[in-house]
């Protein structure tokens, strides 16, 4: 039985016992809010600077992804340049242009 089933079962039981649906909904909403606040407190995100902390983390993650993309592009450019240089060197060495013969 998962959380949704448990909540549905408890809601049905409360309605059978005579609790008004509006009251039951208000209890569920308050319990959800309290649970969310507890979860944020456990993560250390319950203070006033939590919004700025999350914003900083998102900015840091975006920057890290940009660095990864730039690093990949740089490595690909280096490899491409190296391969093209080797091809040109091979063409020059094995052609009549080169003063050095293999």
């Amino acid at each position: 039985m998962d959380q949704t089933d448990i909540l549905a079962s408890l809601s049905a039981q409360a309605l059978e016992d005579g609790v008004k649906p509006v009251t039951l909904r208000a209890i569920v909403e308050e319990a959800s809010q309290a649970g969310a606040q507890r979860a944020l407190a456990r993560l250390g995100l319950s203070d006033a600077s939590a919004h700025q902390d999350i914003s900083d983390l998102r900015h840091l993650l975006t920057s890290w992804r940009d660095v990864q993309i730039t690093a990949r592009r740089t490595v690909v450019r280096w490899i491409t340049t190296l391969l093209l240089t080797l091809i040109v060197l091979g063409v020059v060495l094995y052609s009549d242009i080169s003063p050095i013969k293999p």
Side-chain angles (χ1 to χ4, degrees):
M1 186 176 265
D2 66 355
Q3 295 287 343
T4 306
D5 293 337
I6 293 171
L7 183 59
S9 173
L10 289 173
S11 297
Q13 183 180 355
L15 289 173
E16 288 174 5
D17 292 344
V19 176
K20 293 181 182 178
V22 174
T23 305
L24 182 60
R25 183 177 188 95
I27 291 170
V28 169
E29 286 178 8
E30 288 298 319
S32 299
Q33 183 69 24
Q37 288 174 347
R38 256 194 332 261
L40 289 172
R42 286 182 188 155
L43 293 172
L45 297 172
S46 61
D47 58 350
S49 66
H51 176 72
Q52 185 62 39
D53 294 343
I54 295 295
S55 178
D56 290 345
L57 285 171
R58 285 182 177 174
H59 181 69
L60 181 63
L61 184 58
T62 300
S63 297
W64 173 248
R65 289 177 179 157
D66 290 344
V67 166
Q68 285 179 323
I69 291 169
T70 302
R72 281 190 206 117
R73 287 180 183 164
T74 301
V75 168
V76 168
R77 284 182 186 152
W78 285 348
I79 292 171
T80 303
T81 302
L82 177 66
L83 290 175
L84 290 175
T85 302
L86 290 174
I87 290 171
V88 168
L89 183 63
V91 168
V92 167
L93 287 177
Y94 288 100
S95 70
D96 293 331
I97 302 172
S98 174
I100 303 171
K101 296 295 178 187

